[in-house]
Amino acid sequence: MIKLTPRAQASAKWGYLSPVLAVFLTLIAATVLFWGLGKDPQLALYTFFISPIENWYGITELLVVAIPILLCAYGLALCYRASIWNIGAEGQLLLGAVVATTMALQFVDSDSFWAMPLVLLAGMVGGMLCSGISALLNLRLNCNETLVTIMMNYIALNTLLWAVYGPLKDPSGYNFPESALFGDSSLLPILFEGTRLHFGLLLVILALVIVWVFMSKTFLGFQIKVLGLDKPAARMAGFKEKKLAAMVFLVSGALAGLAGAVIVTGSTGQLIPAISPGYGYSAIIVAFLGRLHPVGITLAGLLIALIFMGGEMSQMVLQLPRAITGILQGLILFFLLSCDVLIRYRIVFTVKLPGFTAAAKH
């Protein structure tokens, strides 16, 4: 017989082992899934997880995909540390891309040094605008932040579609829904010749360091942790709950908006409807899989980026449907939530034989 018994205190060991076990169980489930689809599991796993990064160019592409995911995830981690359930990184990314494009199109024929900083700053402002509306509705009108941020995702998506079919549409683009190509002054520099890996990688490293130091070394970071763990205690300590909540909303939106700006200035060079296959939503999984720690988030972001690349590779090589990417991401989240039960509960195996009872705890 198997039953769960509460632990006296949460297990720190399982806090770290749970994500590892979740990934392992996902690989087992993926093997069964590939077998059920009539594919050789060994070939499918190799195609999905090894083939995309078996050379230098593949590794650089992995980093290109991971950049926007990580920028969104670092911001979301701040919100979740404060127990603010921001589900709107996708919308903040999209609106950031729209505003960044609006700025970039002002510099198409310019070689100004200020073009790139202004485009990136515009993207951050766009993301902050999206998250700021959510913060206002949540903090002033007491609207549920989960529902509000989800709603803003759809508003941002339709704003993007309106922009590429309307005011930002390239008049010389043969009626395709896309903006004009950006000028060279608005494009992120390439770090390695012959690859698409751009300056956004350095922005990710900078964001990693800033978020890590902020959360672990500053008093504001400490206040955010206390707010997330025990709001009544934060109020008794005199922490300004609404100001802290507004700050993490805006910082999260700025990082997601920066991710949108990085995509249009580094990966696509223009605004198109499909700039994001769901990076903002995937960042939610990354934040929790990485245990809201910048280093853990970085490792989880690389894994999710690999799943995106593996999904594309499997479509070309194995003729698997595009939905396989979302299925594997969903499996990771499912197993992570399931394994997290072990943090607060023990699994007790009890074997009853005539005249003898044995129990094992895990």
Side-chain angles (χ1 to χ4, degrees), residues 146 186 218:
T146 303
S186 299
T218 68

Side-chain angles (χ1 to χ4, degrees), residues 253-315:
L255 287 173
L258 179 61
V262 164
I263 292 174
V264 295
T265 58
S267 301
T268 63
Q270 62 182 155
L271 184 66
I272 57 176
I275 61 168
S276 171
Y279 292 146
Y281 295 116
S282 298
I284 299 170
I285 300 174
V286 168
F288 285 107
L289 190 62
R291 284 293 176 250
L292 305 183
H293 190 285
V295 175
I297 288 172
T298 302
L299 297 176
L302 292 173
L303 174 62
I304 296 298
L306 180 58
I307 289 178
F308 272 111
M309 294 180 64
E312 295 178 358
M313 185 70 72
S314 66
Q315 289 179 62

Side-chain angles (χ1 to χ4, degrees), residues 10 30 69 71 108 122 124-125 127 129 175 213-215 219 225 280 289 291 295 312 331 334 354:
I69 299 174
L71 287 173
V108 171
M124 296 175 70
V125 170
L129 175 63
N175 208 36
V213 171
F214 176 77
M215 290 302 298
F219 184 56
K225 290 181 182 178
L289 190 62
R291 284 293 176 250
V295 175
E312 295 178 358
L331 285 172
F334 170 77

Side-chain angles (χ1 to χ4, degrees), residues 100-116 118-119 167-172 178-187 264-265 269-271:
T101 298
T102 303
M103 179 63 71
L105 293 179
Q106 312 307 311
F107 295 94
V108 171
D109 299 318
S110 172
D111 58 357
S112 172
F113 168 80
W114 296 104
M116 175 52 59
L118 287 174
V119 170
L168 298 184
K169 186 177 181 180
D170 184 4
S172 304
E178 58 189 22
S179 73
L181 292 171
F182 295 172
D184 290 341
S185 62
S186 299
L187 297 176
V264 295
T265 58
Q270 62 182 155
L271 184 66

